[in-house]
Amino acid sequence: MKKWFFTLVIWCCVSLNVNAAGEGVEDYAYYGFEPDIVTNYISNRKKLGFVKISVELMVKDPNDLVSLEHHDPLLRSAIVEILGNQSEDKVKSLSGREEIRRECYETVNRLMEQEVGRAIVVNLLFTKYLYD
């Protein structure tokens, strides 16, 4: 009897958690630039410095992925320009990387606002960040 009661309690708890988890869930989608973005940055050395990043754009409405795909060349170009204007110290530091990410996010949203009339990107993520 105790085993049956314990099973019933566990089942009720799980079903309540599943129902609670389904409420208020946002339907986010991600758009990734393919291939990865590779560009040079301003180096302090004689050797040319480069950075290779994977960028994912997070949107609230999956229907916005079509707009992002359509404007991919414009957004990619803007990100390459931002990265190419960064100093070596900024590219290699953790706080500099966050500043670059934030600048890319703001630029992408500004460009999308000009093109489609509203800022559609919720977040911009660097999923890979390599430099030399």
Side-chain angles (χ1 to χ4, degrees):
M1 183 72 173
K2 286 182 182 179
K3 193 174 190 181
W4 183 80
F5 180 72
F6 182 72
T7 305
L8 181 64
V9 169
I10 294 293
W11 182 81
C12 288
C13 290
V14 169
S15 65
L16 288 175
N17 285 338
V18 168
N19 288 336
E23 296 173 6
V25 174
E26 298 288 338
D27 195 17
Y28 291 107
Y30 293 88
Y31 178 79
F33 289 95
E34 291 293 332
D36 291 346
I37 296 173
V38 180
T39 189
N40 298 322
Y41 60 84
I42 301 169
S43 177
N44 300 334
R45 305 170 289 160
K46 290 183 180 182
K47 184 180 163 188
L48 193 60
F50 76 92
V51 63
K52 177 180 181 178
I53 63 171
S54 293
V55 178
E56 299 283 332
L57 303 176
M58 184 172 133
V59 294
K60 218 173 212 180
D61 184 5
N63 296 325
D64 291 333
L65 294 176
V66 175
S67 296
L68 289 174
E69 185 176 6
H70 179 73
H71 296 291
D72 180 297
L74 174 68
L75 303 177
R76 176 183 288 274
S77 173
I79 292 170
V80 167
E81 186 176 340
I82 290 168
L83 288 168
N85 290 326
Q86 303 304 318
S87 68
E88 181 174 8
D89 296 334
K90 197 169 186 181
V91 168
K92 291 185 175 184
S93 74
L94 200 54
S95 61
R97 181 187 313 182
E98 177 58 23
E99 287 177 35
I100 294 168
R101 188 200 67 78
R102 196 172 309 120
E103 185 178 349
C104 289
Y105 168 72
E106 291 167 0
T107 301
V108 164
N109 258 338
R110 184 176 37 79
L111 289 170
M112 289 309 292
E113 194 167 343
Q114 290 172 357
E115 296 298 320
V116 298
R118 61 190 171 87
I120 62 175
V121 177
V122 175
N123 201 354
L124 182 142
L125 307 167
F126 290 158
T127 55
K128 185 189 309 178
Y129 191 92
L130 304 171
Y131 57 83
D132 181 34

